[in-house]
Amino acid sequence: MTETERPARLLVIDDDDVTRMLACTALEEAGFRVAEAAGGEAGLERFADYHPDLVLLDVLMPGIDGFETCRRLRSQGIRVPVIMLTGLEDSASIERAYDCGATDFIPKPINWTLLRHRVRYALRAAEAVDSLVRSERNLSAAQQIAHIGSWEWDLGTDRFHRSDNYCALFGEDAVSFGSGLSALIERVHPGDRERVCKSLDSVCEGQRYSLEYRIQRADGQVCTALEMAVPLCDASGRVVQVQGTLQDITERVSAEQRIRQLAYFDDLTGLPNRVHFREALQSVLLRENVRGGHCAVVLINVDRFKRINETLGQDAADRVLQVLALRLGSGQAGAAEDGLSPDRLDAPRMARLNADNFGLFIEGASGRAAIEAEISALLARAGSPVHVDGQTLSVSFSVGMAFYPKHGDSAEALLKSAEMALGALRRRGEHDTIQCYTEQMKVDAEARLSMESALREAIDEDQFALVYQPKVDADRGCIVGGEALVRWHHPSKGLIGPVAFIPLLEEMGLIGQLGQWVLNQTCEDISRWRAAGLSVVPIAVNLSAIQFGRQDLLASIHDTLSAHEVPAGVIELEVTESALMRDTHATAEVLRGLHSLGLSLAVDDFGTGYSSLAYLKRFAVDTLKIDRSFVQDCDGGRHDPAIVRAIIAMARSLGMGLVAEGVETEAQARVLQAHGCPVMQGYLFARPMSEPDFRAALRDGLPGADRFRTNGA
Ligand code: C2E
Ligand code: CA
Ligand code: CA
C-alpha cells in the first residue's frame, strides 16, 4: 500500500555524515523519501514533524544513544518499525536493542543493496501487524456490540482460554472468572448443566454444536446464551482443540417470549388461544393417528352471554369471562412459566377460542358417556353463580362435541363439526345441554348454505311479494285491519312461506333489508288504495327482534312513511314478546319514539313468551294478539279456554286492544266473541290474499264476515 500510493517516508538518524549520506542516496534511489537527523534528540524532534513510516537508527551516538532514542519512541506508543544500525555484533547489544523495542537490526558496514530489501520487508511486516491489530480491535468491538465472547479449549493441555468479552458476559473479568472448564460449568444454570456437558462431550468427538442455555451472572441475573462450538482436528483427524462463541441472547429470547405470549395466549383470560389450541390439537391428532386412538373436541359456549354483555356492559362481562376462564381452566399449566422452552407449548386443557367460546380436547378412548360425565362435572363446578358489580349471575353452558376420527380427521374439521353441533343447539334455542355432532347436521348446514345464497339472490332480484290477511270485527261483520305477510317466489321451488326463511335472514344479518322492503311495499300499496278512494284500515307490519333493536329504526320508518305520504296512524307494528323483553330499557325508549311518530304497537304471539304484566303496562302497548295455540283449543275443553278468558280480561282491564289469531272454526269464534274478543284473524274469515284481492275485500267487504254480527253493534 505504502509503495503504490505514496513513497514510504524514512527517517535516518546517525551522527556519521557519510553513513547518513550513503543511506539517503541508496534509499532515495530505491524510491523512498528520506529525512535525516544527526543525533538522538534531533531525531526525536524530526520524527514528531515528519511522521516517518520507518526509522533507521544508529546505536552509538553522542548525546542520547540509539537504545535510548528507541526506548523514548516506544514509550510514546509509537509502533513504526525501527531498524537499528549497529556496529556491535555481540548478542548482548542485539538483545538490548530488542528490549528497547527495535524491530530489527542491520550490522555495519551496511550492504546498501540489501538495505532497501530489509526496509521493504520491515515496512510490509509492519503493515501486516498494523492491519492485524486493527482487525482484532474491530472484532473485539463488534463482539462487544453483539454481546459475543469467544473461547478456545485446548484438549491436549485442557487449557480453557476465553476473551475478555466472554468474561464480560458473565459480569466478570478474566481473573475473577477463573481458569479451566469447571469455571464455566459452575456458571451454567443447574437446570442446563447436563445439556452443556453432553454438548462438550459431543464436540470432543468431532460434532459441532449450537446450544441455548442459561448462565448465572456474578450479579445474580440469569441470562440466556447461545453457544456455538466447532472441533479443530490435527492431520490424523483427532480433535485437538475446540473453538466456540457465546452470545447473550436474553433480549431476543424475552422478545420471543412476549411474541409467543401474544400469539398463543388470550389477553383477557391468559388461557391458550385458538391458534395454540388448534396447533396442539393437530399434534395430538397426529399421535392418535399413529396409535389408532380417539380424541374428543369439546366447544363450550356461555349461555346468554350476549344478555350479560348488554345488561352489565363490556367491562363487567369481561370480568365474568375471566372468572369462568379461571374455573374452566383451573389446574392448567401457566402461560409461559418455563422460560427456556420457547418452541414447546404444553397441550392446553382449556383454551379460549373467541368471545364466549371455550375449547377443550380429551385424548384417549374413554367412551362418549364417560366424556359427557366428565364435562358435566366440569361445567357444574364452573357454573356456580358469578358475583360481579354487586350482582349475582347464574351461568350455564352449552356444549358442542365432535369425535376423532369419526367426525373429522383434522383440527379444523373437528372444530367445525363441534361448532355445527353447538349451532344446532342454538338454533333450537336450547341451553345447558351437551350436543354431539351428527351427519344430519352437515346435510342441514349444506341446505342452509344453498338457501342462503338463494336468499341473497332473492333480495337482489326482488323475488318477494306481500299478501294481506284481514282482521275482522265479528260483532260488526267488517274488516277492521290487515296484516302484511311476506312470501318468497323462489324461481324453482315456487312459493315459500316466511317461517322457512325469516330466521335465516336474521342469522345472515339481512332481515333489515327485507323489513325495509316490506314496509316500503306496504306503504306503496296503502297509498294506492287511498288514491283509489278506499277507506283504509290500519295495516300491521311484522318487525323482527333484530330490526327492533336497530338504532336507525325510527328514522327509517319515518322516512318511508313520508316518502309515500302515509299517515302513521295507518301502520301498526307487530313485535313478539321476547323481542320486547330482550333489553327492557332500550325497548321503553324505542316504544316512546314509535308512539311519538304516531304508530301503534301490537304484541304478537302473546302468551308464548315471558309475559310480564308490569312491563306491558310500562311499555304502553296498544294491542295484544292472542297466540294461535290458545285460540285453537279454546273450544276444546282443555285448560286453554281459561287462559284465553284470562288474557281477554287482563287486556280489557289495561285498556288494550285485542286480536285473536288463527281462528279457524265457528266454535272458536263464538267462544272468543262470548268472552269479549270480537276482533279475529284466521282462515275462518280469510286466508292471506294477494294485494288485488285484499283491495277488493276492502271495497266490497268479506263474504260471510257478518255471520256473527250482534244486534247491538
Ligand atoms: P305471525 O305474525 O303470527 O303471522 C300469522 C301467521 O299465521 C301467518 O303465517 C298466517 O298465514 C298464519 N295464519 C293466519 N290465520 C291462520 C289460521 O287460521 N290458521 C293457521 N294455521 N295459520 C294462520 P305466515 O304468513 O306463514 O307467517 C309466519 C310468520 O312469519 C309470521 O307469524 C311472522 O312472525 C313471520 N312473518 C311474516 N311476514 C313477515 C315480515 O314481513 N317480517 C317479519 N319479520 N316476519 C314476518
Ligand atoms: Ca304478526
Ligand atoms: Ca302471531
Side-chain angles (χ1 to χ4, degrees):
M1 182 179 84
T2 330
E3 282 171 75
T4 52
E5 284 182 0
R6 67 173 173 93
R9 291 137 90 84
L10 311 181
L11 174 62
V12 179
I13 307 174
D14 199 317
D15 60 317
D16 180 55
D17 296 343
V18 178
T19 311
R20 256 191 354 258
M21 190 205 54
L22 288 175
C24 290
T25 312
L27 292 168
E28 273 168 358
E29 211 164 75
F32 298 108
R33 274 180 59 190
V34 189
E36 50 189 289
E41 277 99 349
L44 289 172
E45 261 171 44
R46 191 77 182 94
F47 188 97
D49 55 55
Y50 186 61
H51 302 297
D53 300 306
L54 182 143
V55 177
L56 283 167
L57 179 59
D58 185 26
V59 170
L60 292 179
M61 290 183 292
I64 60 168
D65 64 7
F67 296 127
E68 179 57 18
T69 310
C70 184
R71 206 187 51 70
R72 288 194 194 178
L73 279 175
R74 291 305 186 219
S75 72
Q76 293 169 38
I78 288 162
R79 287 208 324 266
V80 301
V82 175
I83 298 175
M84 297 290 239
L85 306 173
T86 169
L88 314 163
E89 271 196 57
D90 62 308
S91 59
S93 45
I94 292 171
E95 218 149 274
R96 196 166 157 216
Y98 282 128
D99 281 350
C100 294
T103 313
D104 202 358
F105 70 95
I106 292 176
K108 283 185 178 175
I110 297 165
N111 176 332
W112 300 112
T113 324
L114 262 186
L115 175 67
R116 54 177 165 197
H117 292 301
R118 291 290 281 275
V119 166
R120 251 185 223 125
Y121 173 77
L123 283 169
R124 249 199 322 266
E127 205 181 301
V129 169
D130 227 43
S131 93
L132 194 65
V133 167
R134 239 192 340 265
S135 72
E136 228 171 55
R137 215 172 26 217
N138 290 347
L139 181 66
S140 172
Q143 287 190 351
Q144 222 168 345
I145 291 166
H147 300 284
I148 294 180
S150 55
W151 55 266
E152 276 163 40
W153 178 27
D154 203 287
L155 297 191
T157 61
D158 202 24
R159 247 195 67 212
F160 183 69
H161 175 82
R162 59 262 172 260
S163 69
D164 291 345
N165 284 335
Y166 180 91
C167 298
L169 293 182
F170 293 84
E172 310 203 38
D173 58 33
V175 179
S176 69
F177 193 88
S179 58
L181 205 58
S182 60
L184 162 65
I185 303 294
E186 274 164 26
R187 286 165 173 82
V188 174
H189 188 282
D192 297 335
R193 267 181 211 158
E194 200 185 318
R195 287 191 304 134
V196 172
C197 290
K198 261 196 196 140
S199 301
L200 287 169
D201 287 347
S202 74
V203 78
C204 292
E205 281 157 19
Q207 278 175 331
R208 56 168 62 218
Y209 70 80
S210 166
L211 181 70
E212 277 180 34
Y213 61 84
R214 287 163 294 177
I215 57 174
Q216 291 171 311
R217 285 170 51 96
D219 58 11
Q221 245 182 293
V222 173
C223 298
T224 307
L226 170 67
E227 184 163 81
M228 295 201 231
V230 288
L232 299 180
C233 301
D234 64 9
S236 70
R238 202 165 47 95
V239 179
V240 288
Q241 200 187 50
V242 180
Q243 285 199 335
T245 58
L246 189 78
Q247 184 178 13
D248 183 349
I249 55 166
T250 310
E251 277 177 27
R252 196 193 79 199
V253 168
S254 67
E256 276 171 4
Q257 257 164 21
R258 271 199 303 279
I259 291 169
R260 186 177 78 113
Q261 180 74 25
L262 289 174
Y264 282 100
F265 291 87
D266 170 46
D267 239 15
L268 181 69
T269 63
L271 288 181
N273 64 13
R274 191 183 186 95
V275 176
H276 185 170
F277 182 82
R278 212 180 31 215
E279 283 182 14
L281 175 57
Q282 198 59 51
S283 61
V284 163
L285 294 183
L286 279 175
R287 198 163 61 225
E288 296 296 343
N289 183 28
V290 175
R291 281 212 303 236
H294 298 256
C295 180
V297 173
V298 181
L299 281 193
I300 300 171
N301 177 257
V302 184
D303 288 335
R304 300 183 190 87
F305 184 72
K306 198 159 174 256
R307 269 262 276 288
I308 297 178
N309 222 334
E310 283 167 358
T311 40
L312 296 187
Q314 203 187 332
D315 285 351
D318 279 355
R319 260 172 286 140
V320 172
L321 281 179
Q322 285 170 330
V323 171
L324 297 180
L326 203 67
R327 291 178 184 172
L328 289 169
S330 61
Q332 179 146 302
E337 53 193 22
D338 178 10
L340 246 193
S341 48
D343 39 26
R344 211 188 99 247
L345 286 165
D346 290 325
R349 230 191 97 66
M350 185 66 64
R352 180 177 177 225
L353 303 185
N354 56 28
D356 58 335
N357 286 308
F358 295 88
L360 170 71
F361 55 79
I362 300 172
E363 290 175 69
S366 45
R368 182 168 148 186
I371 287 175
E372 284 193 13
E374 188 181 327
I375 296 168
S376 297
L378 170 74
L379 298 185
R381 277 196 306 277
S384 56
V386 178
H387 308 280
V388 254
D389 286 0
Q391 302 216 39
T392 302
L393 304 173
S394 55
V395 282
S396 63
F397 305 92
S398 295
V399 174
M401 204 160 64
F403 287 92
Y404 171 84
K406 198 172 169 213
H407 301 145
D409 57 1
S410 67
E412 217 42 68
L414 287 162
L415 272 170
K416 206 167 140 199
S417 299
E419 262 158 24
M420 255 183 224
L422 200 54
L425 273 186
R426 211 171 285 146
R427 258 187 293 283
R428 292 203 302 267
E430 287 181 36
H431 295 116
D432 205 1
T433 314
I434 297 176
Q435 171 71 56
C436 188
Y437 172 80
T438 64
E439 290 303 326
Q440 183 60 40
M441 289 174 188
K442 196 170 156 205
V443 176
D444 293 348
E446 277 162 7
R448 244 191 342 267
L449 208 67
S450 79
M451 183 84 154
E452 275 181 23
S453 69
L455 268 175
R456 277 181 215 284
E457 229 174 84
I459 287 191
D460 289 347
E461 294 176 7
D462 227 359
Q463 294 171 0
F464 296 103
L466 286 185
V467 290
Y468 293 91
Q469 188 176 31
K471 295 176 189 171
V472 173
D473 184 332
D475 287 349
R476 293 189 285 151
C478 62
I479 297 176
V480 291
E483 178 174 5
L485 296 160
V486 70
R487 298 288 181 264
W488 176 15
H489 287 286
H490 190 285
S492 60
K493 291 186 183 145
L495 205 63
I496 298 182
V499 177
F501 63 85
I502 295 264
L504 206 55
L505 281 176
E506 288 182 335
E507 245 177 71
M508 294 164 68
L510 294 177
I511 191 67
Q513 282 186 46
L514 178 76
Q516 183 55 44
W517 179 86
V518 169
L519 183 65
N520 199 59
Q521 188 60 48
T522 306
C523 289
E524 198 178 305
D525 290 345
I526 290 174
S527 65
R528 194 165 337 110
W529 303 334
R530 279 155 55 95
L534 294 171
S535 79
V536 174
V537 291
I539 302 294
V541 170
N542 291 283
L543 274 193
S544 118
I546 289 171
Q547 276 175 280
F548 192 71
R550 292 264 298 257
Q551 300 277 321
D552 57 355
L553 178 71
L554 290 182
S556 74
I557 291 178
H558 174 264
D559 292 350
T560 313
L561 292 176
S562 359
H564 295 279
E565 294 175 14
V566 167
V570 182
I571 297 287
E572 187 175 29
L573 299 175
E574 292 189 9
V575 188
T576 58
E577 279 176 290
S578 46
L580 291 178
M581 298 303 292
R582 262 190 175 188
D583 177 354
T584 52
H585 184 74
T587 295
E589 192 108 313
V590 174
L591 293 191
R592 256 197 305 280
L594 291 175
H595 279 135
S596 73
L597 284 184
L599 294 150
S600 59
L601 194 105
V603 179
D604 210 347
D605 307 342
F606 183 76
T608 55
Y610 311 78
S611 331
S612 161
L613 204 59
Y615 277 116
L616 293 181
K617 244 161 121 174
R618 194 175 126 197
F619 292 157
V621 169
D622 302 284
T623 306
L624 295 188
K625 293 189 79 178
I626 307 173
D627 189 66
R628 198 169 75 220
S629 58
F630 301 114
V631 171
Q632 234 138 45
D633 264 352
C634 76
D635 60 338
R638 285 216 303 210
H639 53 272
D640 289 306
I643 296 182
V644 166
R645 228 182 7 253
I647 294 175
I648 294 171
M650 185 191 77
R652 296 184 85 176
S653 77
L654 291 173
M656 290 180 187
L658 261 179
V659 180
E661 287 191 295
V663 182
E664 291 182 352
T665 67
E666 297 213 356
Q668 291 162 358
R670 287 194 199 288
V671 171
L672 290 161
Q673 196 180 24
H675 289 308
C677 175
V679 182
M680 304 180 207
Q681 181 182 350
Y683 294 170
L684 175 65
F685 300 97
R687 290 189 172 250
M689 53 185 77
S690 66
E691 186 273 329
D693 288 350
F694 186 70
R695 196 183 338 137
L698 279 181
R699 193 181 53 227
D700 309 330
L702 273 180
D706 57 356
R707 77 194 101 145
F708 302 96
R709 201 141 99 185
T710 49
N711 293 332

